[in-house]
């Protein structure tokens, strides 16, 4: 039975070992970017496993291209981890100050004690401000002196696919377009993207060419767990699309398997006797975000906000009244959230409505929340919104699989901090 329906089987331990010992281990761009999104210890464990497999590693040209294109944005985003701390610290400072004033004259807390407490809080706020300012201003330095990039340069030296010529690239795009019309994965869910809609399809074609040339088993590590790459059952990822396994066998005559990075570090770590920590697994699992419906994503955002803010400070809006889906009250500031699976919502929704909502003082700031990286057009639209309003607009890439991360909360606090406090108006 396995010989007839091999595409439905996951590799046995011996077959998996063969992928690691004699196969091509291909890395997608989201895996190349993963070390920037985890802590140093997790990154070290990932690189330890990959270093043992150095001779088997390879990255399609498309993966390398997307890595370098998206790397500045990823570093810039992760470099702002301090930004969301200033506003909550300022709120806490005000509460402490008010409390100390209310007990002024109490024999237990002397004026000297009160001053010492406030000085300590001010030192913390000053330290965070210094760290934030320094981090956010050193993007160019971080891009130039990047230890993660140096590790990739060592691991992937002479292990990157060739850059296609303009004619070859045009042929690749034509082939991918034909595949989309025929409903052939992967990349079907990216077909309507305004930018890089051919990326997954091109990567797959380059992977087929590599397998055909090397005649070696091919293992793709990718955190893109959309339905056009993976089979899922009951919400769980259970393997590659059977069409992909079949095509690899038909075109290149070799076995094919694919895994998210979290599955790879666990299984490869076991085979290589390099077990990874539970913390590493948790962090890396958070990098794989399955496809969601718009309503599911909005509910994930709402749940995260309710976990971090009082329920009476999280407000929902009927979409026919405003492009804003949710709002959060932070003190006297109201941050409106536009929640979208795709940043292009920012362009489709009426910029005029958003600017009127802010300039009319209904909202003091607007935050776009999307699980997908913003395209250049999205960022241009964000700039247009900012220029049309006196209040701040910003965007964050956030996924429910990262719901333990404070980045969404930090982004709300950061926008509240940037805006001028204004009274709530319904």
């Amino acid at each position: 039975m396995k010989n007839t329906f091999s595409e439905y089987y996951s590799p046995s331990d011996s077959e998996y070992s063969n992928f690691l010992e004699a196969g091509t281990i291909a890395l997608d761009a989201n895996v190349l970017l993963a070390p920037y999104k985890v802590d140093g210890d997790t990154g070290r464990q990932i690189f330890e496993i990959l270093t043992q497999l150095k001779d088997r590693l390879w990255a399609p040209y498309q993966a390398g291209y997307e890595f370098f294109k998206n790397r500045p944005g990823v570093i810039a985003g992760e470099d702002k981890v301090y930004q969301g701390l200033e506003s909550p610290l300022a709120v806490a400072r005000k509460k402490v100050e008010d409390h100390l004033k209310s007990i002024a004259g109490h024999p237990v807390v002397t004026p000297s004690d009160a001053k010492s407490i406030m000085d300590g809080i001010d030192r913390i706020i000053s330290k965070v401000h210094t760290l934030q300012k320094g981090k956010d201003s050193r993007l160019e330095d971080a891009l130039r002196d990047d230890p993660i990039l140096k590790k990739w340069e060592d691991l992937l030296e002479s292990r990157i696919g060739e850059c296609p010529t303009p004619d070859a690239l045009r042929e690749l795009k034509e082939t991918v377009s034909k595949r989309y019309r025929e409903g052939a994965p992967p990349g079907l869910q990216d077909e309507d993207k305004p930018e890089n809609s051919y990326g997954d399809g091109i990567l797959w074609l380059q992977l087929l060419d590599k397998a055909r040339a090397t005649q070696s088993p091919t293992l793709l590590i990718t955190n893109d767990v959309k339905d056009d790459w993976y089979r899922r059952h009951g919400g769980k990822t259970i393997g590659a699309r059977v069409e992909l396994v079949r095509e690899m066998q038909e075109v290149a005559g070799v076995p094919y398997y694919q895994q998210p990075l979290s599955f790879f570090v666990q299984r490869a770590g076991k085979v290589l006797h390099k077990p990874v920590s539970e913390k590493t697994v948790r962090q890396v699992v958070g990098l794989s975000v399955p496809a969601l419906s718009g309503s599911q994503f909005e509910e994930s955002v709402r749940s995260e906000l309710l976990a971090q803010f009082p329920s009476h400070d999280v407000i929902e809006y009927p979409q026919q009244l405003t492009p804003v889906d949710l709002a959060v009250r932070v003190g006297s500031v109201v941050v409106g959230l536009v929640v979208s699976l795709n940043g292009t919502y920012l362009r489709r929704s009426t910029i005029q409505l958003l600017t009127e909502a802010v300039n009319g003082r209904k909202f003091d700031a607007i935050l776009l929340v999307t699980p997908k990286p913003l395209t250049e057009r999205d960022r241009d639209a964000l700039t247009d919104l900012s220029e049309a309003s006196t209040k701040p607009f910003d965007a964050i890439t956030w996924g429910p699989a990262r719901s333990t991360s404070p980045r969404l909360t930090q982004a709300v606090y950061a926008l509240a901090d940037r805006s001028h406090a204004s009274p709530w108006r319904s």
Side-chain angles (χ1 to χ4, degrees):
M1 181 176 283
K2 185 174 181 179
N3 289 337
T4 304
F5 296 102
S6 60
E7 62 267 32
Y8 288 95
Y9 284 77
S10 293
S12 65
D13 288 345
S14 61
E15 290 169 335
Y16 188 79
S17 294
N18 191 48
F19 277 107
L20 302 185
E21 295 167 4
T24 296
I25 303 173
L27 307 178
D28 198 356
N30 46 53
V31 172
L32 299 177
L33 291 167
Y36 295 100
K37 302 178 181 181
V38 297
D39 66 28
D41 186 57
T42 295
R44 177 185 59 77
Q45 292 188 52
I46 292 171
F47 278 119
E48 282 181 355
I49 291 174
L50 292 173
T51 298
Q52 281 200 236
L53 300 167
K54 179 176 179 178
D55 291 342
R56 313 314 312 169
L57 299 181
W58 181 76
Y61 177 83
Q62 183 67 24
Y65 166 75
E66 292 179 14
F67 165 74
F68 279 103
K69 181 179 179 182
N70 294 322
R71 173 172 157 264
V74 171
I75 292 177
E78 296 303 313
D79 224 16
K80 296 180 180 178
V81 293
Y82 298 103
Q83 188 176 24
L85 293 177
E86 286 192 81
S87 185
L89 282 172
V91 171
R93 184 191 187 284
K94 183 70 166 59
K95 289 181 179 179
V96 172
E97 185 178 36
D98 290 345
H99 181 67
L100 290 174
K101 287 179 179 177
S102 72
I103 60 173
H106 195 285
V108 174
V109 182
T110 66
S112 176
D113 291 334
K115 183 177 185 304
S116 177
I117 291 171
M118 294 307 300
D119 287 346
I121 294 175
D122 287 339
R123 282 195 296 272
I124 294 172
I125 293 175
S126 177
K127 178 66 173 177
V128 170
H129 179 73
T130 300
L131 289 170
Q132 175 199 326
K133 186 176 180 181
K135 288 277 186 181
D136 290 348
S137 66
R138 291 205 299 268
L139 175 58
E140 186 176 347
D141 291 341
L143 290 170
R144 183 173 57 251
D145 185 17
D146 181 355
I148 292 175
L149 178 61
K150 287 180 171 63
K151 286 184 172 68
W152 284 129
E153 288 172 342
D154 176 61
L155 287 175
L156 295 174
E157 181 65 32
S158 302
R159 295 183 179 89
I160 297 281
E162 291 185 10
C163 175
T165 65
D167 287 343
L169 182 60
R170 184 167 52 252
E171 290 180 11
L172 284 169
K173 289 181 177 180
E174 290 173 356
T175 301
V176 172
S177 292
K178 182 174 183 292
R179 290 173 65 92
Y180 286 171
R181 290 194 298 272
E182 296 171 348
L188 297 172
Q189 291 183 273
D190 295 334
E191 185 176 4
D192 295 328
K193 284 173 57 176
E195 190 172 302
N196 198 30
S197 60
Y198 298 101
D200 285 1
I202 291 175
L203 183 141
W204 176 247
L205 295 177
Q206 292 174 342
L207 195 60
L208 287 174
D209 286 343
K210 175 69 172 179
R212 188 162 37 206
T214 61
Q215 287 294 289
S216 61
T218 300
L219 171 62
L220 173 65
I221 313 302
T222 177
N223 284 331
D224 188 341
V225 292
K226 296 194 300 292
D227 290 342
D228 55 357
W229 276 107
Y230 283 94
R231 283 186 297 136
R232 278 202 296 275
H233 180 73
K236 296 186 179 298
T237 300
I238 58 176
R241 287 278 295 254
V242 294
E243 300 96 324
L244 302 179
V245 182
R246 286 189 195 126
E247 185 175 10
M248 183 65 74
Q249 185 64 50
E250 292 169 358
V251 171
V254 301
Y256 175 72
Y257 191 51
Q258 65 188 41
Q259 293 179 293
L261 182 60
S262 57
F263 290 12
F264 171 74
V265 295
Q266 291 177 81
R267 193 167 185 185
K270 183 179 179 181
V271 172
L272 300 171
H273 305 290
K274 286 275 187 184
V276 295
S277 67
E278 291 185 9
K279 185 196 74 172
T280 289
V281 174
R282 286 196 303 271
Q283 284 197 20
V284 179
V285 164
L287 302 178
S288 302
V289 183
L292 294 171
S293 69
S295 59
Q296 287 174 319
F297 183 58
E298 183 176 334
E299 178 59 28
S300 296
V301 173
R302 190 179 73 85
S303 297
E304 172 68 5
L305 294 174
L306 287 171
Q308 303 295 332
F309 297 94
S311 59
H312 59 268
D313 285 337
V314 179
I315 306 107
E316 296 185 56
Y317 287 89
Q319 269 200 329
Q320 64 267 29
L321 299 180
T322 172
V324 172
D325 302 292
L326 301 164
V328 180
R329 196 195 321 259
V330 183
S332 60
V333 173
V334 178
V335 178
L337 281 76
V338 177
V339 181
S340 174
L341 280 175
N342 194 324
T344 56
Y345 183 96
L346 191 63
R347 296 194 306 279
R348 292 198 306 270
S349 61
T350 308
I351 289 181
Q352 182 179 354
L353 286 176
L354 285 173
T355 52
E356 286 177 355
V358 174
N359 292 339
R361 301 180 71 84
K362 193 176 186 70
F363 306 102
D364 298 296
I366 295 291
L367 177 67
L368 172 69
V369 185
T370 172
K372 300 180 180 179
L374 294 183
T375 66
E376 288 301 317
R377 293 180 184 177
D378 295 327
R379 296 195 178 281
D380 288 344
L382 196 65
T383 299
D384 291 341
L385 280 167
S386 297
E387 291 176 348
S389 170
T390 58
K391 300 296 178 65
F393 287 80
D394 208 345
I396 182 174
T397 300
W398 181 87
R402 306 186 186 96
S403 58
T404 56
S405 165
R407 289 190 64 225
L408 178 60
T409 307
Q410 289 176 352
V412 172
Y413 274 124
L415 263 183
D417 198 43
R418 286 168 52 193
S419 70
H420 297 294
S422 61
W424 170 261
R425 298 187 181 182
S426 59

